[in-house]
Every structure is written in structure tokens, then in C-alpha cells.
Amino acid sequence: MNRLTVFSLPCALVVWLLALQVVKVNAATSQVLLTYGNGSVVSNVEVEYGTSTQIIGSGKVVGTYLETNNIKTNLSDLVDVRPYLRSLVLAGTLNPNANSYVAIHYPTGVTISTSDLGTSCQQFGGYHSAVYVGDISPNVQYMYYGVLPYCGTTALDMAPAISHELGETVTDPLGNTGWYHASTGQEIGDLCNGMNGMVDDPLNPGNSLTIQKLWSNVQQKCISSRSSPLPPPASYSSTSSKKIYDATLSSRPVSIQSVEITPIFYGMNVSFKANLTDFYKFLVTSPYIGARKLCSFYFLIWLNALPSHT
């Protein structure tokens, strides 16, 4: 007797169940790098960089914060940005967890500098990092953050930098402890710098927005979305010079599983605040990061394909 049972399960669990089924079938040819993502049918770019314990799924925007006090025009990451973020944790404004990502947006006229990258809008258009909060937060040792200076003239000018830093934060939150190029240290966004693509907006059917492409180990190229299931491991070339490695020997996190974004707008003059918030919502529900509806759809197909029992 054939039966079809409909379950309501989290997307991440669906992905892992599917991955387990395919890994079981292809155990003889599985490669360590792709074992975790192999077989997933979630149409997002980053799912292939999940692991058995850290499955990358959809995210959400959990709130925004407008900073209006003590606005400076010249900031140092070490002297100003990190202490500022810690002060927000101390004040209870931010309560980070393992999935938290704080994206700080600065207005025109504010310059940020770091000891290794240089000066904003000259040597860099954005960066991501982590600040230690283990002494003031009960939940985590580090809080992940991105710095996004305003280097353009329109809201769309920010899109490549925003998507670049978000994509890398999810897959390498602490920097060279997750997924990165073993020889150059480049992350999945660095390998595709300057290569933009268009992604359909699930919140506004018929509309698409610009993002920066991210590197795919599986497809061995820069992609903006994935329209088909991941191929079997045997089709992956392990000799590519652009292979991204998983630092599984590290005790630190490899990836963020369900990113929770808090955009911070530094000063009243930050341009396009509403547009930027909407763009983050687009990213975490689009094929760029995650598409929950596809998970349920394929999960039902997979269930229906299982041998029937009487």
C-alpha cells in the first residue's frame, strides 16, 4: 500500500537527511570535501560548504540599529570599531549567538582603516572579521561583523560588497579557519571579485537584484545561484588550483548555519537605510543563501521515491 505523508521540518534537517541518503548510495566514491554537501537539492550557493554538524540553511534579518551618538569621521578597526561593538553587547543592545552577523554601514565622509587592509574606498570596499566577546557574552566567544563603507552613489553600488562579505562570513566567520584557499588565503568571495550576477527575488516575483558571485568547489566556477542538485562527488576535480579547503582540524566554527543579520547604520546620514535592510532580507531568502520552499518541495519528492511499505 502506497502512502504519502507530509512533514513540516526545518530546512537544515531536510538537507541533512537528503545528504545522508546520497552519501550512503555513493559511499565508494565519496570524497571528504564534498561528503557533507553531496546530494543536497537546496538551490543556494553556499550549501555545499556545510558539514555534518554545521548545515548551511536560510537566514533572517533580526533587527536594525541606528547609531546617533559620538559619531566619528575617522575610525580604526582596532581602536574604534571593535570597542564600539563590545559596548553594544555590554549595553544589551546586541545579544549575539553563534549565527549572529552584525553589518555596520557607514555614510559618505566616514573613513575606516585597518592595519592590514588600508583605508576604506581606497584599498578596500568592505571586510568581515570577529570581535572577542567571551568575557561579556554568555552565549559566544566571538561576534562576527562586517564593515561596509559607502563608496558609491546609489543603493545598488553597495550590493556587491554586501553580498561578498555576507557570503564569506557564513563560510569562514573567523577568517582562514573555515573555507578558504590553502595557498593564497582567499575566501569564496575573493576568488570572484568583480564578477557580478543577477538573482531572482523570492519576495518580489519577476524582480531580480545584483549580487557578487561566489566560488563553487562543485562547479569549479563563480556562481550566483544553483538551479540543479549538487552533482555526485566523482564529478568534482580535486586537482583544481582554486580548490577551497575545509579547516576541519580547527576547533573553531567552520560555517554559520542560519545567519541572523543585524544591520547597524552609523549616523543619521547613512544612505538608503530601508533599501539596505530590504536587500539583506532578499539575500537570506533568495537562492544566494537559502530557499526554504525548494527544500520542502524536493523533500516530498524524495519521500515519494522511497520504497513503499505495506
Side-chain angles (χ1 to χ4, degrees):
M1 179 172 126
N2 293 323
R3 293 184 299 176
L4 177 63
T5 305
V6 179
F7 295 96
S8 176
L9 296 174
C11 180
L13 178 57
V14 174
V15 174
W16 180 229
L17 289 172
L18 287 167
L20 279 175
Q21 178 70 7
V22 178
V23 168
K24 178 181 177 183
V25 172
N26 297 300
T29 59
S30 292
Q31 297 181 15
V32 173
L33 182 61
L34 293 181
T35 295
Y36 305 132
N38 173 33
S40 168
V41 294
V42 180
S43 180
N44 66 16
V45 175
E46 298 189 323
V47 66
E48 68 181 83
Y49 297 110
T51 71
S52 59
T53 58
Q54 296 175 326
I55 302 161
I56 299 174
S58 301
K60 59 184 176 181
V61 175
V62 294
T64 63
Y65 180 69
L66 175 62
E67 181 58 73
T68 59
N69 297 317
N70 302 317
I71 301 300
K72 300 179 180 180
T73 55
N74 289 284
L75 302 169
S76 160
D77 180 78
L78 186 62
V79 176
D80 300 299
V81 177
R82 297 188 183 204
Y84 167 68
L85 289 170
R86 283 176 54 86
S87 73
L88 294 180
V89 176
L90 275 169
T93 304
L94 296 176
N95 183 27
N97 59 47
N99 291 315
S100 298
Y101 171 58
V102 180
I104 315 174
H105 287 268
Y106 295 92
T108 301
V110 173
T111 300
I112 307 99
S113 61
T114 76
S115 58
D116 55 339
L117 296 177
T119 304
S120 59
C121 299
Q122 296 181 30
Q123 283 81 36
F124 68 85
Y127 66 87
H128 72 97
S129 189
V131 58
Y132 178 71
V133 292
D135 57 333
I136 55 177
S137 169
N139 304 318
V140 291
Q141 291 292 300
Y142 293 92
M143 182 171 68
Y144 313 127
Y145 69 95
V147 168
L148 290 307
Y150 184 60
C151 303
T153 57
T154 69
L156 289 178
D157 291 336
M158 296 292 297
I162 290 172
S163 51
H164 176 120
E165 301 308 334
L166 175 60
E168 291 186 341
T169 299
V170 169
T171 53
D172 190 23
L174 282 170
N176 289 6
T177 64
W179 295 89
Y180 64 98
H181 192 285
S183 300
T184 66
Q186 290 178 299
E187 298 168 306
I188 66 172
D190 299 327
L191 288 169
C192 304
N193 251 339
M195 300 177 62
N196 297 336
M198 302 295 290
V199 175
D200 292 335
D201 184 356
L203 302 179
N204 298 287
N207 187 39
S208 58
L209 294 175
T210 301
I211 50 82
Q212 188 206 285
K213 295 181 179 182
L214 299 174
W215 177 257
S216 167
N217 262 344
V218 177
Q219 297 187 31
Q220 289 291 284
K221 64 180 182 179
C222 297
I223 63 174
S224 56
S225 65
R226 194 187 310 281
S227 58
S228 59
L230 299 182
S235 66
Y236 170 69
S237 172
S238 61
T239 59
S240 170
S241 61
K242 288 188 176 181
K243 180 179 177 182
I244 300 292
Y245 288 86
D246 170 12
T248 52
L249 295 180
S250 171
S251 60
R252 296 178 177 180
V254 172
S255 61
I256 294 177
Q257 298 178 68
S258 300
V259 64
E260 299 180 6
I261 305 171
T262 302
I264 292 180
F265 304 113
Y266 188 80
M268 292 294 295
N269 296 326
V270 174
S271 302
F272 313 111
K273 290 186 281 291
N275 302 76
L276 294 174
T277 301
D278 287 343
F279 187 63
Y280 279 110
K281 292 178 181 179
F282 154 75
L283 286 175
V284 296
T285 56
S286 74
Y288 194 72
I289 295 294
R292 290 186 180 92
K293 291 182 179 179
L294 284 179
C295 289
S296 298
F297 176 73
Y298 279 106
F299 185 56
L300 290 175
I301 290 177
W302 180 73
L303 276 178
N304 205 29
L306 291 177
S308 59
H309 298 278
T310 57

